[in-house]
Amino acid sequence: MSQPTPDKPIQNSPYVVRLPIIISLTLAAGMLLGATFFSGGKKLTDVAKGYAKFREVLMLVENNYVDSVNTDELVDYSIAKMLEKLDPHTSYFNAEEATTARSQLESGFDGIGVEFNIYNDTVYVVSPLSGGPSESIGILSGDRILKVDGENLSGPGVTNAKVFKLLRGKRGSEVKLHIGRGSMKDGLDFTVVRDRIPTYSVDAAYMVDQEIGYIKVSRFSETTYDEFKTALSSLKSAGLKKLILDLRGNPGGYMERATSIADELISGNKLLVYTDGKDSRFDRKTNAKFDGMFEEGPIVVLADEGSASASEILAGALQDHDRALVVGRRTFGKGLVQMPIRLSDGSELRLTISRYYTPSGRSIQKHYDLGKGEVYNEDLTNRFNSGEYFSADSIKFDSTLKYKTDGGRLVYGGGGIMPDVFVPRDTSMNSKFLFELYAKNIIREYALRYVNDHKKVLEKQNFNEYLTKFNVSDAMVNELVQDAKKAGIKYNEKELNRSKPLILAQTKGLIGRYQWGRQRKDGLNNEIFQVLNPMDNVYQEAIKQFGKATDLEKGDFSSLNMTKEK
């Protein structure tokens, strides 16, 4: 998962950086790594003894072990296993892994387009990257990647380097994935066509009507703030009065990009986020500091279980200052701060040094037990099984973690940002037939072929004309079904009818994207969002909630039906 980190990794001398890592291998399980490194070291003698012991064992293995060994690999393995005893987000990347991981936020790359985490030797999808091939075929947050081209990707020996090696490759090449999803007994098979993963992070920015604007932010990368300012300026020029800010599925990224966006929306010098750690040197407060472009006007923020880290910082700041109405579902709950420390050989340690807190004092981080990453990663599945995705009554508040917004509304800590207006996950149009169409790229390939075959007709109209007048015909659906049969997908009329509205919308959206979206140079995918959003129940609810969002901005809570502590 992308972590909210400072823009530039801290550089230290090779000896100073390597020493505390190796030393810490000998510390008791659960002790925070780097305690002596960062805070002066009350037990320097004990640490030195531990380092001496580790060095002694390593030398004995190198000089006397019966077979030849690679000590660098042993050290890497030792570090990785040691970090498993800490929190779920402290991590170590060897030189190759570090380079690849940084590229996810700093530059483009060819691959399948997923943010992932490895827990208990299993690769979990945190979020498919918006606009990437995995998203297009239906890979979901929480999916487990079990096999890649028939090769197992679970069990001992799974590393970031192995995942990158298997998933990345030349654009246009195919990779076959075997996916585990939820409690399904049988896995799902997907064929993903690798592509250039877009470096853009603002996926859509368009006017819904004469007053309402919509901006979708998929992650917080180096260019996100600049992209956001460009999008917001464009919408203001088009008459923006009300804003929908969609952070669903956004796994985070650079914290500074999220707080800069918050500063564009929050007036004065209000607190945006603060951090608190074991060492006071890592305590930090970030306040608004300049006049933003949209400090007045109602805002609705869309969030869900895929919104993590920097997304939660932004949503939390807006909610705590009663600046925006949060609509959707409880966010992921990732509120630990990682400091990237680049080591002498190019490897990188991302060490948890503090926690994030929203302006009201809420901790974003959900509960975890040291050394139990596999339990931590099962949280999303447990939420699904408990019914939290479908009923607000299934969400349990910790009554000991009550906080107040600026206006006195009650909000709760304990992990993630709770929405002001809950909207259940809509599974009414899901079916196995639909998943198989996604898995084998049937809709995507049909839409691309349709564009190529009807280019001259499509070129005679602009996208707005297409959006209002074009309908996917029954003949087109029949052609798509025939494509599915040729690909080995068993036809199921009942499932087709259930999923048909979504199939029609996906087809229309992709045709629009391939015909008009490829002509854009701003990285936006407005065409597909403009087709699909009207069918999205969270988006639909957001449109309905602008009355409450307007009241919220004015400080009038009487019509909001929200808890306010007196």
Side-chain angles (χ1 to χ4, degrees):
M1 179 188 295
S2 302
Q3 313 295 354
T5 56
D7 285 359
K8 295 182 180 179
I10 292 175
Q11 298 282 3
N12 288 298
S13 69
Y15 178 77
V16 170
V17 173
R18 274 288 194 182
L19 180 61
I21 300 174
I22 297 175
I23 289 175
S24 298
L25 289 165
T26 64
L27 299 182
M31 176 177 280
L32 285 176
L33 174 65
T36 57
F37 174 46
F38 292 115
S39 60
K42 295 180 180 180
K43 298 182 180 180
L44 185 58
T45 302
D46 291 342
V47 172
K49 288 180 180 178
Y51 167 63
K53 182 188 293 186
F54 179 78
R55 182 179 60 181
E56 183 179 7
V57 170
L58 193 63
M59 292 301 295
L60 286 170
V61 170
E62 170 69 19
N63 295 327
N64 302 301
Y65 184 65
V66 63
D67 296 319
S68 297
V69 294
N70 186 321
T71 52
D72 285 341
E73 289 184 358
L74 288 179
V75 171
D76 283 348
Y77 179 79
S78 301
I79 294 172
K81 297 304 289 185
M82 178 266 293
L83 295 182
E84 289 181 4
K85 294 296 183 181
L86 305 182
D87 68 272
H89 296 291
T90 289
S91 55
Y92 169 76
F93 298 88
N94 65 33
E96 181 181 357
E97 293 170 340
T99 299
T100 306
R102 284 192 293 268
S103 73
Q104 295 187 31
L105 291 179
E106 296 176 357
S107 63
F109 55 90
D110 293 346
I112 70 167
V114 293
E115 299 272 2
F116 68 88
N117 255 343
I118 300 176
Y119 286 119
N120 197 29
D121 298 326
T122 301
V123 180
Y124 289 86
V125 175
V126 174
S127 178
L129 297 182
S130 182
S134 289
E135 181 202 46
S136 299
I137 66 166
I139 301 295
L140 303 176
S141 298
D143 281 352
R144 305 182 304 279
I145 304 178
L146 305 178
K147 292 183 180 180
V148 178
D149 288 332
E151 182 174 344
N152 286 331
L153 197 60
S154 61
V158 175
T159 63
N160 284 288
K162 183 176 182 180
V163 176
F164 290 139
K165 182 178 180 181
L166 291 175
L167 297 185
R168 295 193 174 188
K170 186 177 181 181
R171 73 184 72 178
S173 60
E174 289 188 350
V175 58
K176 297 183 184 300
L177 305 180
H178 185 64
I179 296 292
R181 178 169 294 170
S183 57
M184 293 177 61
K185 293 182 180 180
D186 298 324
L188 297 169
D189 292 314
F190 291 84
T191 299
V192 188
V193 179
R194 294 184 179 96
D195 200 353
R196 186 66 175 174
I197 305 306
T199 57
Y200 298 105
S201 53
V202 174
D203 287 349
Y206 66 89
M207 293 297 293
V208 178
D209 56 26
Q210 292 183 341
E211 292 188 338
I212 300 175
Y214 171 87
I215 298 179
K216 167 71 173 177
V217 182
S218 61
R219 58 192 178 279
F220 294 95
S221 65
E222 286 184 331
T223 60
T224 300
Y225 178 50
D226 291 335
E227 292 177 52
F228 179 82
K229 285 195 298 181
T230 299
L232 189 60
S233 177
S234 175
L235 296 187
K236 286 193 68 178
S237 298
L240 176 70
K241 298 290 189 297
K242 306 172 183 178
L243 176 64
I244 297 175
L245 178 58
D246 193 345
L247 301 178
R248 290 176 296 172
N250 184 324
Y254 291 120
M255 181 196 76
E256 287 79 3
R257 306 307 187 268
T259 54
S260 293
I261 290 176
D263 204 348
E264 291 290 347
L265 307 174
I266 295 174
S267 63
N269 65 343
K270 296 183 179 71
L271 180 65
L272 302 178
V273 67
Y274 70 92
T275 62
D276 184 42
K278 183 177 182 179
D279 191 315
S280 60
R281 285 185 294 160
F282 302 116
D283 295 348
R284 175 181 178 185
K285 289 185 177 180
T286 302
N287 291 72
K289 57 186 177 182
F290 55 76
D291 294 333
M293 283 195 289
F294 194 71
E295 293 182 348
E296 295 182 358
I299 301 173
V300 176
V301 172
L302 309 187
D304 65 8
E305 57 281 350
S307 307
S309 198
S311 297
E312 296 171 291
I313 291 171
L314 177 54
L318 293 169
Q319 187 181 55
D320 281 1
H321 291 306
D322 299 305
R323 180 67 187 93
L325 190 75
V326 179
V327 173
R329 295 183 292 278
R330 180 162 68 102
T331 61
F332 183 85
K334 194 275 179 185
L336 296 176
V337 184
Q338 280 70 54
M339 180 173 68
I341 307 170
R342 202 168 299 176
L343 310 184
S344 59
D345 63 350
S347 58
E348 184 173 290
L349 173 68
R350 295 187 180 181
L351 182 66
T352 298
I353 56 171
S354 57
R355 287 180 169 82
Y356 287 113
Y357 294 87
T358 71
S360 67
R362 288 182 289 170
S363 171
I364 298 170
Q365 180 61 43
K366 61 188 175 184
H367 174 76
Y368 65 90
D369 293 315
L370 292 176
K372 294 185 178 180
E374 68 281 0
V375 176
Y376 179 84
N377 196 69
E378 291 172 355
D379 176 63
L380 292 182
T381 298
N382 292 336
R383 292 193 205 183
F384 180 89
N385 292 335
S386 70
E388 180 179 323
Y389 292 169
F390 306 99
S391 171
D393 294 337
S394 299
I395 304 174
K396 306 301 179 183
F397 295 96
D398 187 336
S399 60
T400 66
L401 299 175
K402 293 181 180 179
Y403 300 86
K404 293 181 182 180
T405 68
D406 289 353
R409 294 185 300 128
L410 275 183
V411 288
Y412 290 85
I417 301 299
M418 305 298 300
D420 299 309
V421 177
F422 174 83
V423 183
R425 178 185 282 185
D426 182 8
T427 60
S428 61
M429 289 179 282
N430 289 351
S431 69
K432 183 181 179 182
F433 183 71
L434 177 66
F435 291 149
E436 289 181 331
L437 291 180
Y438 287 156
K440 295 192 175 181
N441 287 315
I442 302 301
I443 300 177
R444 187 178 185 179
E445 291 180 1
Y446 177 81
L448 183 59
R449 189 173 73 246
Y450 185 91
V451 168
N452 292 333
D453 292 344
H454 299 81
K455 200 169 189 63
K456 291 183 179 180
V457 175
L458 293 170
E459 286 176 346
K460 293 179 180 179
Q461 57 190 318
N462 59 40
F463 176 73
N464 287 332
E465 292 172 332
Y466 169 84
L467 182 63
T468 57
K469 297 179 180 179
F470 183 87
N471 291 306
V472 177
S473 66
D474 289 341
M476 293 171 66
V477 174
N478 289 335
E479 291 174 352
L480 197 148
V481 169
Q482 292 304 313
D483 287 349
K485 290 179 178 179
K486 292 176 183 177
I489 299 175
K490 186 177 180 180
Y491 175 68
N492 186 308
E493 184 177 5
K494 182 178 179 180
E495 292 186 356
L496 171 62
N497 290 333
R498 178 180 182 179
S499 301
K500 191 172 183 178
L502 191 52
I503 293 172
L504 296 178
Q506 286 277 358
T507 304
K508 180 175 179 177
L510 286 168
I511 290 173
R513 180 177 179 182
Y514 289 139
Q515 175 61 33
W516 289 277
R518 289 187 297 185
Q519 301 171 14
R520 307 182 67 98
K521 298 185 182 299
D522 53 12
L524 299 177
N525 296 307
N526 288 349
E527 294 77 17
I528 195 165
F529 282 94
Q530 286 178 266
V531 173
L532 291 177
N533 273 344
M535 297 184 60
D536 184 327
N537 66 326
V538 181
Y539 175 90
Q540 291 172 341
E541 188 64 33
I543 299 294
K544 298 176 184 177
Q545 294 294 336
F546 268 109
K548 290 183 179 179
T550 300
D551 290 341
L552 180 66
E553 186 190 19
K554 294 177 179 178
D556 179 6
F557 305 122
S558 59
S559 66
L560 274 65
N561 193 29
M562 297 176 188
T563 305
K564 182 175 179 181
E565 190 170 72
K566 298 180 180 179

